[in-house]
Amino acid sequence: MKVTPWEVEGEVDYERLLREFGAAPLDIRGMELPKPVLLPLRRGYFYAHRDFDKFVEDWREGKRVSIVTGRGPSGPMHLGHILPFYTAKWFQDKMDAFVFIPISDDEKYLVKRKLKVKDVESFALNNVLDILSVGFNPEKTRIAIDMKDTELYRPAVVVSKRVTFSTMRALFGLTQESNVGWVFYPAMQMVHLYIPQILYGPHRVLVPVAIDQDPYIRVARDVAESIGLVKTAGLLSKFMPSLESPSGKMSTSDGGEEKVIWLTDDRDTIRRKIMKYAFSGGQPTVEEHRKYGGRPEIDVSFLYLYYFFEEDDRKIREIEEGYRSGELLTGELKDYAAKKIADFLEAHQKRKEKLLRRDLEDVVESFSFREDERRRIKEWGREF
Amino acid sequence: MKVTPWEVEGEVDYERLLREFGAAPLDIRGMELPKPVLLPLRRGYFYAHRDFDKFVEDWREGKRVSIVTGRGPSGPMHLGHILPFYTAKWFQDKMDAFVFIPISDDEKYLVKRKLKVKDVESFALNNVLDILSVGFNPEKTRIAIDMKDTELYRPAVVVSKRVTFSTMRALFGLTQESNVGWVFYPAMQMVHLYIPQILYGPHRVLVPVAIDQDPYIRVARDVAESIGLVKTAGLLSKFMPSLESPSGKMSTSDGGEEKVIWLTDDRDTIRRKIMKYAFSGGQPTVEEHRKYGGRPEIDVSFLYLYYFFEEDDRKIREIEEGYRSGELLTGELKDYAAKKIADFLEAHQKRKEKLLRRDLEDVVESFSFREDERRRIKEWGREF
């Protein structure tokens, strides 16, 4: 197992990661969350946290809360990329959270040798359209693109004075041969996490991310108070399982384009990919399956339904029990999962089509920093 | 001797520096320079170069040429700080050069532990006023302040992808414990040197600086062609001698505030400082001086006159010979040098007073990037 913010390899042991990273295990019983509780939150996809309890408490007390979740534009987005934004939208809908969405075109440009500026620029625009198709409220959502919204450089200078090369190296696996942009980038990412506080004063900001991104949260927490900000809170998830492995991470790195579900895939394509590639917890033959039953806990189709797509608690229990008993066959389970995923993506695609009929510049503008917000960023941090 | 871009210690051996840095010795005979040739250029204060011959040739062929010379705003400016800007103005007046003046508030903030953002901001404004008092043409001069004109971050990302930590460490003495902003800063400074080309397309840009800044020119030259730009040219000077040492560097680091000539010093103060501190090449007593004569080549007052303030070639020769023969006494030499420096600074101060009677925001604005220039910076480099 190898898990860093830029690389995930092998079978992931989530409990070990939790211990190594030193985050707290998540137990939402006793937390007064708005109903219905977000599926990945109540079904254990989010399984660890830092100060999530304080975040919920602040919200209950009527205080302002914010969410930061970003995107590194290295290509088109797949299912695993978009789900965090639906999580962010839940917090916006249910807790009135301000949502900040940083697009780190600088990071992807600096880290991926072959990418040119025009590549990351074009991916950034493409990705922004998908993110906006989630349906955020433009009054309470801002999107910034690092190499376009360069005001962010100024607070990044303030932050970067407080972190040494050796700290960044230990956290992010930099080497002596890393380019100096890459060395600096974590300071930009720390600023991303601070932006809601820079815009609207100190308050609790929650970062819902996969656990491999926890080092960024840790270093942001370490510095926050020295620059007058509240420590960043983190809500840490497992990885979106890849089609071929329940404990892998959905990624184009190994499997290529064919083995992930793209946001643009149609119903037939989704069904074909699930049927062909989704790792099954069932038995090799129907007879054996009927006799011994399947293992839902390692079945990718089941896990997708369980974590993301089957809201109905009774229904998911029926599926789990039916599959375990052998009554529900793998083909039937896959068929149902493919249908639910296709329903979800069709709704997403419809919102995107609607978006594409509008003036895109206007749309993007309505989610960009307002003039007074840019001024606040430019004036922040004089006393540090 | 210790000479790095951030520290100069001990007696400086200029010939050795030249060999170590690998720049070419400067010989202006045979170069068709505009007349009258800038004093520090014709008297050997500038003593080394990289492609200065090509720069002059380009100008003679009617091509566009530019100058970049900047300022790190760590405090008020003294005589040694302002002279490079008079050099830049000479190139603007005589060669119609575009002049770009970067103010690296980020660098000073990152390198000086005790400085706060508000400190460097305030020094930056103060310094800009002194620089503008030199009398640049607003049509052909731009001033940018890194933490204000953050568009520069974008090209800095492009540049930073092309330089590794180990390269920067070797050139600039970074350590593992350097903050990551400092590690990144050289990429910003490289962008400073490229800005005229980013704004107006590839052409020869000359950077007249003290030789300790040569590493920045070298690394800028190494990268330039890979991003479609002409290699940066350098005109390398000795250090402005400190009052107390002909081969030191005028600096507040050792001597404190009293032992440098500030731009705000009045005639009496200048005279007092020269009389009291200026290192003398004369003999201990008038009698011995009359008998053995003085040594102009190590006399700081003489060197100031020679390099910067006595335009008249016949007059400087008279002074040199008179001093060497013992006819001219140290007190007389100092008196004359103090008068010439005071004349120079009074003219500077008068221009500054006139400037301060105008709307300062308007003045600064007239030297800031125009909207179309900002757009060019934001659009540059897509293909890299």
Side-chain angles (χ1 to χ4, degrees):
Chain A
M1 173 175 88
K2 185 173 176 187
V3 176
T4 63
W6 59 95
E7 206 175 10
V8 175
E9 265 178 23
E11 301 284 302
V12 181
D13 178 342
Y14 287 111
E15 295 312 312
R16 194 179 122 198
L17 274 183
L18 193 62
R19 287 193 307 273
E20 279 176 10
F21 283 7
L26 179 64
D27 184 353
I28 60 168
R29 287 169 304 184
M31 288 187 188
E32 295 189 74
L33 291 166
K35 299 284 184 310
V37 174
L38 180 75
L39 205 58
L41 194 49
R42 72 176 200 253
R43 297 257 176 89
Y45 177 66
F46 287 106
Y47 81 111
H49 77 109
R50 296 179 186 274
D51 288 348
F52 181 57
D53 45 348
K54 292 182 186 164
F55 176 87
V56 175
E57 208 173 293
D58 283 358
W59 164 68
R60 291 222 70 96
E61 288 173 8
K63 293 181 187 161
R64 175 192 285 280
V65 291
S66 293
I67 298 285
V68 175
T69 185
R71 162 78 186 146
S74 55
M77 291 169 82
H78 59 59
L79 191 58
H81 293 141
I82 200 69
L83 290 170
F85 296 98
Y86 282 92
T87 293
K89 181 164 161 53
W90 182 83
F91 281 104
Q92 179 163 87
D93 292 344
K94 300 292 183 180
M95 294 191 176
D96 203 30
F98 172 79
V99 173
F100 178 59
I101 301 169
I103 308 291
S104 53
D105 54 350
D106 48 353
E107 177 194 23
K108 288 303 169 184
Y109 175 71
L110 291 164
V111 169
K112 305 257 177 188
R113 186 176 295 265
K114 285 185 182 168
L115 288 182
K116 298 183 171 186
V117 173
K118 62 182 173 188
D119 300 326
V120 293
E121 270 185 350
S122 135
F123 293 143
L125 182 63
N126 174 305
N127 292 175
V128 163
L129 293 179
D130 266 315
I131 291 165
L132 291 183
S133 303
V134 169
F136 291 105
N137 175 353
E139 295 308 310
K140 288 186 218 153
T141 310
R142 294 291 176 271
I143 296 186
I145 301 174
D146 287 345
M147 286 171 77
K148 182 173 152 281
D149 298 298
T150 55
E151 295 87 348
L152 300 180
Y153 175 65
R154 186 191 143 110
V157 169
V158 176
V159 167
S160 71
K161 187 172 183 175
R162 289 160 169 80
V163 195
T164 65
F165 175 76
S166 61
T167 299
M168 292 300 193
R169 192 185 44 178
L171 285 173
F172 306 109
L174 299 164
T175 72
Q176 307 291 317
E177 297 312 311
S178 298
N179 70 61
V180 295
W182 192 351
V183 174
F184 181 71
Y185 172 72
M188 281 295 276
Q189 180 141 334
M190 288 165 73
V191 166
H192 295 157
L193 306 192
Y194 299 145
I195 277 293
Q197 302 195 66
I198 288 173
L199 291 178
Y200 302 115
H203 67 276
R204 198 83 57 180
V205 177
L206 178 72
V207 186
V209 278
I211 192 152
D212 61 330
Q213 301 298 312
D214 182 60
Y216 285 117
I217 295 177
R218 263 167 17 228
V219 69
R221 288 170 65 83
D222 286 348
V223 170
E225 289 175 344
S226 76
I227 50 176
L229 304 177
V230 176
K231 279 191 174 186
T232 311
L235 186 59
L236 305 169
S237 77
K238 301 173 181 173
F239 300 117
M240 170 85 181
S242 69
L243 279 176
E244 298 187 296
S245 159
S247 61
K249 180 185 174 185
M250 184 174 274
S251 160
T252 50
S253 312
D254 310 317
E257 302 222 332
E258 173 65 10
K259 296 182 183 174
V260 297
I261 295 171
W262 297 104
L263 296 189
T264 47
D265 282 350
D266 61 18
R267 197 166 281 274
D268 287 347
T269 308
I270 294 166
R271 192 170 184 282
R272 184 175 52 74
K273 286 180 177 173
I274 296 277
M275 288 297 172
K276 189 167 175 187
Y277 300 114
F279 184 87
S280 168
Q283 302 297 339
T285 66
V286 172
E287 290 66 38
E288 287 171 277
H289 191 80
R290 294 283 188 217
K291 190 170 170 188
Y292 303 111
R295 294 177 59 197
E297 70 277 9
I298 60 162
D299 187 289
V300 168
S301 305
F302 177 79
L303 290 173
Y304 285 1
L305 287 171
Y306 182 79
Y307 285 142
F308 310 112
F309 300 109
E310 182 49 72
E311 283 280 349
D312 187 329
D313 288 338
R314 193 159 47 180
K315 175 87 183 172
I316 197 72
R317 207 158 44 240
E318 279 173 22
I319 292 174
E320 185 175 359
E321 286 165 5
Y323 198 59
R324 206 181 294 284
S325 73
E327 197 182 322
L328 186 69
L329 297 175
T330 292
E332 291 164 340
L333 174 60
K334 284 191 169 188
D335 199 62
Y336 185 71
K339 180 190 169 305
K340 294 292 276 190
I341 294 171
D343 289 349
F344 172 82
L345 281 184
E346 263 185 18
H348 181 84
Q349 289 158 3
K350 270 192 191 136
R351 282 189 300 270
K352 188 168 177 183
E353 274 166 37
K354 212 170 139 189
L355 193 75
L356 290 173
R357 284 198 294 272
R358 293 171 56 192
D359 180 326
L360 289 180
E361 248 180 74
D362 278 2
V363 175
V364 172
E365 185 62 29
S366 69
F367 286 91
S368 300
F369 290 133
R370 311 285 188 258
E371 271 318 302
D372 64 312
E373 292 167 340
R374 288 192 200 274
R375 209 189 53 237
R376 270 176 258 166
I377 295 170
K378 285 183 168 187
E379 288 174 357
W380 177 82
R382 289 212 163 110
E383 64 273 32
F384 303 117
Chain B
M1 171 173 90
K2 184 173 176 185
V3 175
T4 63
W6 58 96
E7 206 176 11
V8 176
E9 263 178 26
E11 301 284 302
V12 180
D13 178 340
Y14 288 111
E15 295 313 313
R16 195 179 121 198
L17 274 184
L18 194 61
R19 287 192 306 275
E20 281 176 8
F21 283 7
L26 179 65
D27 185 353
I28 62 169
R29 289 169 302 184
M31 288 186 190
E32 294 189 77
L33 291 166
K35 301 282 183 313
V37 175
L38 180 75
L39 205 56
L41 193 49
R42 71 175 200 254
R43 298 257 176 88
Y45 177 64
F46 287 104
Y47 81 111
H49 77 108
R50 297 180 186 274
D51 289 347
F52 181 56
D53 46 348
K54 293 182 185 165
F55 175 88
V56 175
E57 208 173 293
D58 282 358
W59 163 68
R60 291 222 70 97
E61 288 173 9
K63 293 181 187 161
R64 175 192 284 279
V65 290
S66 292
I67 298 284
V68 175
T69 185
R71 160 79 186 147
S74 55
M77 290 170 81
H78 60 59
L79 191 57
H81 294 140
I82 200 69
L83 290 170
F85 295 98
Y86 282 92
T87 293
K89 180 163 162 54
W90 182 84
F91 282 104
Q92 181 163 85
D93 292 346
K94 300 292 181 180
M95 294 191 176
D96 202 30
F98 172 78
V99 173
F100 178 59
I101 301 169
I103 309 291
S104 54
D105 53 351
D106 48 353
E107 178 194 23
K108 289 303 169 185
Y109 175 71
L110 290 164
V111 169
K112 305 259 177 188
R113 186 176 294 266
K114 284 186 184 167
L115 288 183
K116 298 182 172 188
V117 172
K118 64 182 175 191
D119 299 328
V120 293
E121 270 185 350
S122 134
F123 292 143
L125 182 64
N126 173 305
N127 292 175
V128 163
L129 293 178
D130 265 315
I131 291 165
L132 291 183
S133 303
V134 168
F136 291 105
N137 174 352
E139 295 307 311
K140 289 186 219 152
T141 309
R142 294 290 177 271
I143 295 187
I145 301 174
D146 287 345
M147 287 171 78
K148 181 172 153 283
D149 298 298
T150 55
E151 294 87 348
L152 301 179
Y153 174 65
R154 189 192 140 108
V157 169
V158 177
V159 167
S160 71
K161 188 172 183 173
R162 291 160 169 79
V163 196
T164 64
F165 175 76
S166 62
T167 299
M168 291 300 192
R169 192 186 44 179
L171 285 172
F172 307 110
L174 298 165
T175 72
Q176 307 291 318
E177 298 312 311
S178 298
N179 69 61
V180 294
W182 191 352
V183 174
F184 181 72
Y185 173 73
M188 281 294 278
Q189 181 142 332
M190 288 164 74
V191 166
H192 294 158
L193 307 192
Y194 298 145
I195 277 293
Q197 302 195 67
I198 288 173
L199 291 178
Y200 302 115
H203 67 276
R204 200 80 60 180
V205 177
L206 179 72
V207 186
V209 278
I211 193 154
D212 61 331
Q213 301 299 311
D214 182 60
Y216 285 117
I217 296 176
R218 259 160 29 221
V219 69
R221 288 170 66 83
D222 286 346
V223 170
E225 289 174 346
S226 76
I227 50 175
L229 304 176
V230 176
K231 279 191 174 188
T232 310
L235 187 59
L236 305 169
S237 78
K238 301 174 181 172
F239 300 117
M240 169 87 183
S242 68
L243 279 176
E244 297 187 299
S245 160
S247 61
K249 179 185 176 184
M250 184 173 274
S251 160
T252 50
S253 312
D254 309 318
E257 303 224 332
E258 173 65 10
K259 295 182 182 174
V260 297
I261 295 171
W262 297 105
L263 296 189
T264 47
D265 282 350
D266 62 18
R267 195 168 281 275
D268 287 348
T269 308
I270 294 166
R271 191 170 186 283
R272 184 174 52 72
K273 286 179 177 176
I274 296 278
M275 288 296 172
K276 190 165 174 188
Y277 300 114
F279 184 87
S280 168
Q283 302 296 341
T285 66
V286 173
E287 290 66 36
E288 287 172 277
H289 191 80
R290 296 280 188 219
K291 188 167 171 191
Y292 302 112
R295 295 177 58 197
E297 68 278 9
I298 59 162
D299 186 289
V300 167
S301 305
F302 177 79
L303 290 173
Y304 284 1
L305 287 171
Y306 184 79
Y307 285 141
F308 311 111
F309 300 109
E310 183 49 72
E311 283 281 349
D312 186 329
D313 288 338
R314 192 157 51 181
K315 176 86 183 169
I316 197 70
R317 207 160 42 241
E318 278 174 23
I319 292 173
E320 184 174 359
E321 286 164 5
Y323 198 58
R324 206 180 294 284
S325 73
E327 196 182 322
L328 185 68
L329 296 176
T330 292
E332 293 164 337
L333 174 59
K334 285 191 167 188
D335 199 61
Y336 185 71
K339 180 189 169 305
K340 293 293 275 191
I341 294 170
D343 288 349
F344 172 82
L345 281 185
E346 264 184 16
H348 181 85
Q349 290 157 2
K350 269 191 190 136
R351 283 190 299 272
K352 187 168 178 182
E353 273 166 37
K354 212 171 140 190
L355 192 75
L356 290 174
R357 283 197 294 272
R358 292 173 56 193
D359 180 326
L360 290 180
E361 247 179 76
D362 277 1
V363 175
V364 172
E365 185 60 29
S366 70
F367 286 91
S368 300
F369 290 133
R370 310 287 188 255
E371 271 316 303
D372 64 313
E373 292 167 340
R374 290 192 199 272
R375 208 189 54 239
R376 269 176 261 167
I377 295 170
K378 287 183 167 190
E379 287 173 359
W380 177 83
R382 289 212 163 110
E383 64 273 31
F384 303 117

